Amino acid sequence: MASTESTEAKELSLVGKVELRIALTDSDTKLETILNTYLPPLLLKLASDHINVRNKVISICQHINTRVKAPNIKLPVTGLLKQYKENGNALVRHFDILYIQQGLFRLSIPERLQLLPMLVQGIHKNFRESVRHTSSLFNMLLKLLHSVTFPPRGTGEDAALRDTLGFVEEIEDAPFIASWIGKLILFSPNPSTKRLPGLTVEECNFLQLYDKKDTWLPSIAGGMSIVETKVVAVKFLASGAFSDTERFLPALIASSDTNSRVSDLGEDMMKRAVSAVSLEDGAVLEQLFQLYLGTRGTDGSLPARVSLQVKLLALLCKSNRATSYTAKNIQIVKEGLTTGTSGQSVELSDARSANPRQRDISSSTAAVQGLEASKLRTQIFAYTNWLARMSDPAHINVVAPSTVTQLRDYIESQGWPTPLENMSQQHNQESNLRSLGYESIGVLARASAEALIFDEDLDLLRWLFDSLAADSMGTEVTLSIELALSSILGAFGGYLKPELEYSLENLLLHNMQRELGKRFRSYFTPISPARSYRVACWAFDTSNDTLLGNVEGSDFRVVHSTRFAAVRYANRCLPFRNVKARWINVLAMGSDASGRREMLDEARKVSNVQSLDPNTPKSSYHVAQQASDASIDVSIVCTSNMRD
């Protein structure tokens, strides 16, 4: 007990002597000299085991605070910063930071810049020890960068900057600072929200110095301009202090910034940085996906800005491994096609009704407006094509069904098959997106044929034929629908189950009967000959604008012929022995002079047959390819088969 009292008394005595020296100073110059000598060791006493000692030091600090308000009094910033880096006591560090912040900008610019290496040294460790203190250190770093003149890129001085700042010894400091520069570029001070695109609530608090309101107010002493700070931070990032690998992600973020002074530097860095990383690296891909999609939860980050999402997708389109992230890829397509620029998701119809034709297409608010949104959707369609071409079968079979559903919903949200009135105001933009949507559906359907094409009612194929018949968006859209049908055509060629063959032959025959200008109804062909015959006859008997029968479906007008596509499918997908397929050839060859020449040529492909096995499962197209001499007329074959 006596020993403890003796230690406490000694500490109080030492602290009292310092207090007396400070109290006896009668000028700012003398006070500055005393503080330069005694302030750091005085603050060390805040680590004392004795509460009376700690309270006494705090009392003295309150007195010092009243004496050092004059801006001409310099504080021992170097000693305090060194003490902060070496001492682990939280209370000591707290007071060190307070006086460092107060005294840093009372130093001359050369004196400040001499502190830069010490300030960044071990900053990644400081973050693990105290996030709030590191927030203050990073803020001071940003302030110092405004006074730095960076050497020209590629010079010896520039190359030596990494070693000068100590990044060679502390190898985790440079990645840490680069990462937070990237977050700074994403940051925009917003009093109404603490959650921003690409940034969590905690990251926003870090950059805002935990609700210090004047942090980003340049008109207030100690405040900074967020725009100018981003510019100097990106210049620092472009210097030799960082490697291309470290600057890759923040450079990508900078390249999408709305400020050209930032984005130009970002683009220049990306030209070098993109080759320094592997897009097959799982850690890199996780960063890209997380930045794109955000993190869930009330404190998580929002998805990245649209301009950044476009650039992220462009990179993902270069990664084979990205195709294996099935859940994330599904989410990208869903949110990209059904989310407005406000970030609010618009639900169209996640689940199919009993009739797949009946979907909720009334919500025009689903269409995201603006040039950036158009660029994003264009890139999403490019990404879906990448997924279709590069994914393993196991992955594409998971992604394709959901993605095709979203693509169909997107097209129908524009008005299907007749576009909504507001679509005409942005015809070129929406027409291009609609075309890409159809093409993506075709590519995905071919890549995942079993899941998307070969269902019993041929739902997707029927929808594309209906689109070809009635979509009035324009010639480019029609060509894209034909391209989608051609893509799917490549998935056929083998043996078809009887029920699928039955559905396909009736679907094709139905499309041969459609006439331009006439109205038709999209309908189902159940796996029932009686039901199918009744619906088919109803459809064929509709020769004027009056709809007959009571069949579920949607009422449309034919604006494009579907006959050529039907003939191609009949020749390539149905076996030669199929009577309805041959009848389709007869109908095609009997078309009037207005028929397309290529349709007549396609219909005649089966008229040259040298050898024929009626039981072969091969399609008529394959048989015709094997024939060498003309010998049988197709109309005779069809007549003979029907008599049998």
Side-chain angles (χ1 to χ4, degrees):
M1 177 66 82
S3 175
T4 302
E5 292 177 353
S6 175
T7 303
E8 180 179 355
K10 287 180 180 179
E11 291 182 352
L12 287 172
S13 175
L14 290 172
V15 170
K17 291 178 181 179
V18 173
E19 181 182 25
L20 181 61
R21 285 177 177 271
I22 294 173
L24 292 176
T25 55
D26 56 1
S27 68
D28 290 346
T29 303
K30 292 180 180 180
L31 178 62
E32 182 179 315
T33 303
I34 292 294
L35 292 178
N36 189 61
T37 304
Y38 292 107
L39 182 57
L42 174 66
L43 296 181
L44 274 178
K45 291 302 178 181
L46 289 168
S48 172
D49 295 332
H50 309 292
I51 189 170
N52 290 333
V53 177
R54 298 196 297 270
N55 288 339
K56 182 64 175 178
V57 173
I58 292 173
S59 175
I60 296 172
C61 288
Q62 291 172 345
H63 172 72
I64 291 173
N65 292 342
T66 62
R67 297 281 304 274
V68 298
K69 289 182 178 179
N72 61 306
I73 300 177
K74 292 184 178 181
L75 299 176
V77 176
T78 302
L80 292 169
L81 183 57
K82 185 175 185 295
Q83 181 169 277
Y84 175 89
K85 294 290 183 175
E86 296 175 351
N87 191 284
N89 184 275
L91 189 58
V92 174
R93 284 187 158 191
H94 175 73
F95 277 85
D96 283 338
I97 284 286
L98 290 179
Y99 287 114
I100 291 169
Q101 288 176 313
Q102 190 173 7
L104 182 61
F105 290 91
R106 296 182 181 184
L107 303 176
S108 65
I109 291 180
E111 289 174 326
R112 295 178 208 168
L113 297 183
Q114 288 178 359
L115 294 173
L116 189 56
M118 187 185 301
L119 182 66
V120 299
Q121 183 183 14
I123 193 170
H124 74 281
K125 297 177 182 176
N126 301 144
F127 183 81
R128 291 197 292 264
E129 294 161 351
S130 173
V131 176
R132 285 179 175 263
H133 289 164
T134 310
S135 170
S136 298
L137 292 176
F138 185 72
N139 182 267
M140 287 186 278
L141 168 63
L142 296 177
K143 289 178 179 178
L144 287 178
L145 292 178
H146 285 272
S147 303
V148 176
T149 301
F150 296 102
R153 177 73 181 172
T155 62
E157 188 179 357
D158 179 65
L161 192 56
R162 186 177 182 87
D163 186 54
T164 301
L165 294 174
F167 291 164
V168 175
E169 292 78 17
E170 294 285 353
I171 59 175
E172 295 183 51
D173 284 344
F176 175 86
I177 294 173
S179 173
W180 276 102
I181 288 176
K183 298 179 194 300
L184 172 71
I185 299 168
L186 291 169
F187 181 72
S188 293
N190 188 347
S192 63
T193 181
K194 291 185 177 181
R195 192 168 173 232
L196 297 172
L199 295 175
T200 65
V201 171
E202 177 61 25
E203 289 166 345
C204 290
N205 286 336
F206 182 95
L207 294 168
Q208 189 67 41
L209 284 181
Y210 292 89
D211 293 330
K212 189 176 180 182
K213 297 180 180 179
D214 59 356
T215 303
W216 301 106
L217 294 177
S219 58
I220 297 178
M224 290 185 289
S225 163
I226 185 65
V227 174
E228 294 302 321
T229 302
K230 287 182 180 182
V231 172
V232 297
V234 173
K235 288 181 179 179
F236 180 43
L237 185 69
S239 71
F242 301 91
S243 67
D244 287 334
T245 302
E246 293 161 351
R247 63 168 66 97
F248 166 71
L249 193 59
L252 174 64
I253 296 170
S255 68
S256 68
D257 196 78
T258 54
N259 185 347
S260 61
R261 296 165 65 195
V262 174
S263 60
D264 289 347
L265 287 168
E267 290 283 2
D268 183 62
M269 285 188 286
M270 275 300 293
K271 293 175 183 178
R272 300 185 300 271
V274 72
S275 60
V277 299
S278 171
L279 294 176
E280 307 303 323
D281 186 332
V284 173
L285 290 175
E286 285 290 347
Q287 287 181 311
L288 298 181
F289 277 115
Q290 180 175 312
L291 184 57
Y292 186 101
L293 295 169
T295 54
R296 295 301 178 253
T298 56
D299 293 336
S301 62
L302 295 174
R305 296 187 302 266
V306 173
S307 57
L308 179 54
Q309 287 182 326
V310 172
K311 291 184 175 292
L312 288 165
L313 280 178
L315 290 175
L316 292 175
C317 280
K318 300 176 182 179
S319 170
N320 291 340
R321 187 172 179 179
T323 62
S324 65
Y325 291 74
T326 54
K328 289 181 172 62
N329 290 328
I330 290 172
Q331 187 180 345
I332 284 174
V333 175
K334 180 177 181 180
E335 295 184 358
L337 296 182
T338 63
T339 303
T341 52
S342 63
Q344 296 179 343
S345 180
V346 181
E347 294 297 331
L348 291 177
S349 55
D350 289 338
R352 298 287 179 189
S353 61
N355 184 339
R357 302 278 65 76
Q358 296 174 345
R359 298 188 181 91
D360 177 15
I361 60 173
S362 62
S363 179
S364 62
T365 57
V368 181
Q369 305 301 322
L371 180 59
E372 280 194 339
S374 177
K375 290 180 179 179
L376 175 62
R377 285 178 172 162
T378 299
Q379 195 63 55
I380 285 176
F381 294 138
Y383 189 49
T384 59
N385 281 302
W386 174 261
L387 294 176
R389 290 189 294 110
M390 306 306 296
S391 294
D392 291 337
H395 295 143
I396 195 61
N397 287 335
V398 173
V399 172
S402 173
T403 301
V404 168
T405 297
Q406 295 301 325
L407 291 170
R408 288 177 65 173
D409 280 341
Y410 169 70
I411 291 172
E412 293 180 359
S413 73
Q414 297 179 325
W416 181 89
T418 303
L420 300 172
E421 292 184 4
N422 64 335
M423 291 295 109
S424 61
Q425 300 173 0
Q426 300 174 322
H427 182 271
N428 291 335
Q429 175 180 311
E430 296 301 332
S431 176
N432 290 337
L433 293 175
R434 196 176 182 93
S435 296
L436 291 171
Y438 279 121
E439 291 172 18
S440 296
I441 287 174
V443 174
L444 287 167
R446 178 170 182 171
S448 185
E450 287 296 329
L452 290 170
I453 302 174
F454 301 133
D455 58 330
E456 291 183 349
D457 63 354
L458 297 172
D459 173 56
L460 181 59
L461 191 59
R462 189 182 305 280
W463 183 81
L464 285 171
F465 268 101
D466 288 349
S467 300
L468 180 62
D471 196 311
S472 58
M473 193 73 164
T475 303
E476 290 185 3
V477 173
T478 301
L479 292 175
S480 293
I481 299 171
E482 291 179 340
L483 183 59
L485 286 167
S486 296
S487 296
I488 293 177
L489 192 60
F492 288 89
Y495 171 75
L496 287 179
K497 295 179 180 179
E499 57 269 23
L500 288 177
E501 182 179 334
Y502 178 78
S503 294
L504 182 60
E505 65 186 24
N506 282 288
L507 171 63
L508 300 180
L509 195 56
H510 171 61
N511 279 278
M512 286 299 296
Q513 297 292 331
R514 286 174 169 170
E515 297 182 17
L516 292 175
K518 302 300 181 182
R519 298 170 71 85
F520 76 95
R521 178 163 289 182
S522 177
Y523 71 103
F524 294 110
T525 305
I527 310 304
S528 165
R531 170 64 173 165
S532 176
Y533 178 78
R534 183 170 70 83
V535 175
C537 286
W538 169 87
F540 299 158
D541 288 343
T542 304
S543 57
N544 51 49
D545 285 346
T546 303
L547 289 172
L548 305 176
N550 182 24
V551 182
E552 292 185 357
S554 302
D555 175 18
F556 306 127
R557 186 181 298 275
V558 177
V559 295
H560 302 107
S561 174
T562 58
R563 292 180 177 179
F564 175 60
V567 174
R568 291 188 72 199
Y569 269 79
N571 283 353
R572 302 192 185 198
C573 304
L574 294 173
F576 187 84
R577 57 175 168 72
N578 188 286
V579 175
K580 291 182 180 179
R582 305 292 69 76
W583 177 242
I584 289 173
N585 292 127
V586 173
L587 292 174
M589 289 191 292
S591 300
D592 55 28
S594 63
R596 291 165 61 174
R597 178 69 187 180
E598 59 266 31
M599 182 176 70
L600 300 178
D601 292 340
E602 183 71 33
R604 292 183 178 128
K605 283 182 178 179
V606 294
S607 65
N608 298 327
V609 183
Q610 186 174 28
S611 60
L612 173 64
D613 178 5
N615 296 319
T616 179
K618 293 182 179 179
S619 69
S620 54
Y621 177 76
H622 295 147
V623 173
Q625 281 188 320
Q626 296 174 3
S628 58
D629 299 313
S631 58
I632 302 177
D633 185 82
V634 68
S635 61
I636 298 176
V637 173
C638 291
T639 302
S640 175
N641 284 337
M642 285 188 283
R643 287 174 180 172
D644 292 342

